[in-house]
Amino acid sequence: MSTDQIVRVVDPTPAGLVRAAEAHPDSWIAWYDRRLEPFLADPESWPGLAKHRLEILHVGRLQGTDVPARSLGFVDFDAPGLLPGPANRRFGTPLISPAAGLIHAAALRALAPDPKSKNLQAFLIDVGLRGIQHGLDPSSEPALLREPVPAEVWESMKPALAEADLARIVRRRYGRLWVGFHAMARLLCDDRIPILAMFRGWMASAPGTVDAPALAALHPVPEEERGDATVDVLIPTLGRPGPLRDVLDDLAGETLVPRRVIVIDQGGTAEPSGEWPFELVFLTQAEPGACRARNAGLLEVRSEWVLLLDDDVRLRPGLISYLVRTARAYGVEAVSSAVHLPGESPAGGLPRVWPVFASGASLVSARAMEKAGGFDENLEGGYGEDYEFGLRLRLTGTEVLYAPGEPVLHLKAPAGGFRERTSSLPWSGEPVPPRPAPPVLYSRRKHHTKSMQNGYRLYYSLKRLSRAPFYAWLRELRDTAKQWERSVWWADRLGDLHGPEEEREP
């Protein structure tokens, strides 16, 4: 990617990495443990693996180097980077390994890393977690290795992350309130509470000021549209002929016109008439369902890229071109647009890694869609299918970028839509109503680690408790527990999960 110089730091320390970055501000900094050297690819080749200077590459997180950080799931229970991702392909994760990695000196300097950290693992996780906030893109990259590393070598390198270091990370990334939350989760789930470590984390100072202009200068500059990109658009619709026609008119006015627009009607919408600068493929399915509709549309895709849209959005003329150019500049296969409601100010800023995925206005490569396997039809009739699909995108090696440069207006039309509930859900009328909704827990039990599931349950319970008067707390806790268990029961039967694996931790 870059012709910048590379500086090697063998057996690194936090202070050593910072000194190297200060002394060589325009260089890539490569670090590695001396015990790993026989198994590494030539570090001089590592910068060629980076797509841009915001990337941080490191050896995989499943080789026994990041296990001490698993309890971060208690506080970051929605973060896809804490999932037990693949070891044989790139995977976006802030759990940066101390064993070996690569970062640009300008990125490290701009991030204001923890000057008091003595533990390399804690230092790098702090860099990863805070880096994502400010546009950096940390990922495990197996190509840093030349050959597999014996298990005994990984075992000899397994770092120790002290409780105080962990509390300090929580303080610097999430804030003091979450230090207490993390301690409560440890007490309830691990039967222990590190009082002294919690106190040290609570008293730790806030992180320094990030040099935003320096990080902005590291972003790649998208090239002008070459005109060789092919895009198909996928729109599920139900009973919204007016908004649908507006979307089609907007697509006809795009500077990069799509090749095909695939509309999947689920009843109540006639095929729009007119002349279009693209091929209009109009499908009809008798049974409403957003997941079924999108999956049926995916069978009709013929292009390199797929633009997923809702049927009640309004688009700027440069949207498709912007999304394609952004995807190519950052080397990603999924880009989600900034979506705003009427009366809201559109979001601004530069593209950045995003922890979620929105199917209402996102560009995804057809190859990534195929690898992920389409939308999970077990979530039909509920919500959250795009969140679950986004998790599978990442687990197959696809990075998701949020790009706010061409915002999309979501009208939130009051009638119709791409889904309609024609019958009650299976759990409707239950004596104990399942809460949260079973589709919410379905995705979490399907993918999340135990600590992430437990962290979300504690957060959900405390949030409900905060809304109840003090005298009703015992009743609220009892009702929350019963409703949670019913939701678990139904969530497991949505996909015939019957409970998650006993242990999902890395």
Side-chain angles (χ1 to χ4, degrees):
M1 174 264 165
S2 172
T3 58
D4 292 345
Q5 177 187 359
I6 182 169
V7 175
R8 304 189 191 198
V9 181
V10 184
D11 296 335
T13 63
L17 289 177
V18 172
R19 284 196 301 269
E22 294 289 346
H24 306 277
D26 297 319
S27 300
W28 288 95
I29 308 298
W31 75 86
Y32 54 87
D33 189 301
R34 194 182 306 272
R35 290 166 289 185
L36 206 62
E37 192 168 13
F39 311 100
L40 295 175
D42 182 4
E44 296 294 327
S45 69
W46 290 1
L49 299 172
K51 301 165 188 172
H52 48 79
R53 292 180 295 172
L54 293 167
E55 285 199 321
I56 307 171
L57 305 181
H58 58 99
V59 294
R61 63 187 292 273
L62 293 184
Q63 291 92 343
T65 59
D66 298 308
V67 173
R70 66 176 59 175
S71 74
L72 285 172
F74 287 135
V75 296
D76 209 348
F77 40 76
D78 287 325
L82 299 186
L83 299 178
N88 62 345
R89 54 185 174 270
R90 185 177 290 203
F91 178 67
T93 173
L95 302 183
I96 300 175
S97 169
L102 180 78
I103 187 172
H104 199 276
L108 182 60
R109 295 172 68 229
L111 198 59
D114 188 354
K116 296 183 179 180
S117 181
K118 306 298 181 185
N119 182 287
L120 183 61
Q121 173 78 98
F123 176 85
L124 291 173
I125 291 177
D126 177 72
V127 166
L129 288 170
R130 293 180 54 249
I132 286 179
Q133 282 185 291
H134 299 283
L136 297 184
D137 185 3
S139 299
S140 63
E141 175 51 81
L144 297 181
L145 296 172
R146 176 172 51 85
E147 60 183 79
V149 180
E152 59 270 19
V153 176
W154 285 127
E155 187 65 26
S156 70
M157 295 167 54
K158 187 179 294 185
L161 189 61
E163 296 284 2
D165 290 327
L166 188 57
R168 187 179 180 86
I169 290 171
V170 173
R171 159 69 179 107
R172 286 174 55 84
R173 167 59 183 88
Y174 308 101
R176 283 202 171 104
L177 182 63
W178 288 97
V179 175
F181 183 93
H182 184 261
M184 183 184 297
R186 296 291 301 275
L187 176 63
L188 295 175
C189 302
D190 295 344
D191 297 323
R192 59 187 305 239
I193 179 169
I195 297 292
L196 182 58
M198 174 186 167
F199 176 76
R200 289 178 176 174
W202 183 276
M203 295 302 295
S205 58
T209 302
V210 171
D211 188 344
L215 288 178
L218 300 179
H219 281 261
V221 178
E223 298 178 356
E224 290 298 319
E225 176 55 44
R226 303 195 300 261
D228 61 342
T230 57
V231 180
D232 287 353
V233 182
L234 189 59
I235 308 174
T237 190
L238 197 161
R240 286 177 176 166
L244 174 62
R245 177 170 284 279
D246 289 340
V247 176
L248 295 177
D249 288 341
D250 288 349
L251 289 170
E254 287 289 315
T255 57
L256 176 57
V257 178
R259 173 187 289 184
R260 312 177 97 208
V261 176
I262 305 160
V263 176
I264 309 93
D265 171 54
Q266 302 156 79
T269 304
E271 180 174 354
S273 60
E275 296 294 327
W276 313 99
F278 44 75
E279 178 186 357
L280 178 63
V281 180
F282 193 86
L283 308 177
T284 300
Q285 67 177 35
E287 187 176 2
C291 300
R292 282 189 293 269
R294 291 197 183 100
N295 288 341
L298 287 174
L299 298 177
E300 297 292 329
V301 168
R302 304 289 183 269
S303 294
E304 175 189 5
W305 296 96
V306 182
L307 177 62
L308 301 169
L309 290 179
D310 284 349
D311 61 353
D312 60 342
V313 294
R314 299 306 304 269
L315 316 176
R316 298 186 179 190
L319 174 70
I320 297 179
S321 174
Y322 167 72
L323 293 178
V324 170
R325 290 185 293 111
T326 299
R328 286 175 165 174
Y330 287 82
V332 300
E333 291 189 88
V335 185
S336 286
S337 303
V339 177
H340 65 101
L341 299 176
E344 291 182 345
S345 298
L350 292 165
R352 61 185 184 273
V353 175
W354 210 29
V356 296
F357 178 83
S359 56
S362 290
L363 182 80
V364 187
S365 78
R367 180 178 65 175
M369 296 283 288
E370 183 178 2
K371 286 193 299 183
F375 289 84
D376 190 337
E377 296 184 13
N378 291 312
L379 289 168
E380 207 65 272
Y383 290 85
E385 77 285 342
D386 46 2
Y387 172 76
E388 194 278 335
F389 177 71
L391 291 180
R392 281 187 286 114
L393 273 177
R394 293 175 178 86
L395 291 172
T396 55
T398 299
E399 190 70 88
V400 179
L401 206 66
Y402 172 75
E406 291 283 346
V408 172
L409 174 63
H410 189 189
L411 298 176
K412 284 279 189 181
F418 59 79
R419 73 182 97 209
E420 183 177 87
R421 198 167 289 151
T422 55
S423 60
S424 62
L425 293 168
W427 49 84
S428 299
E430 279 262 305
V432 178
R435 294 178 60 192
V440 173
L441 292 191
Y442 171 81
S443 296
R444 295 179 182 278
R445 290 176 66 76
K446 181 178 179 181
H447 296 292
H448 286 189
T449 65
K450 283 289 189 181
S451 57
M452 293 169 75
Q453 293 181 49
N454 289 333
Y456 176 70
R457 179 171 186 174
L458 178 59
Y459 174 80
Y460 174 83
S461 300
L462 290 177
K463 192 172 182 178
R464 282 190 54 173
L465 201 63
S466 69
R467 296 170 179 167
F470 177 75
Y471 62 82
W473 277 12
L474 288 178
R475 184 182 63 192
E476 187 67 23
L477 285 173
R478 182 194 63 207
D479 291 348
T480 299
K482 289 181 179 179
Q483 292 167 3
W484 182 278
E485 293 307 317
R486 290 310 295 165
S487 184
V488 167
W489 192 90
W490 279 108
D492 289 348
R493 276 142 191 83
L494 279 177
D496 197 27
L497 296 178
H498 299 291
E501 298 173 8
E502 285 301 313
E503 187 60 55
R504 295 182 187 272
E505 308 292 359

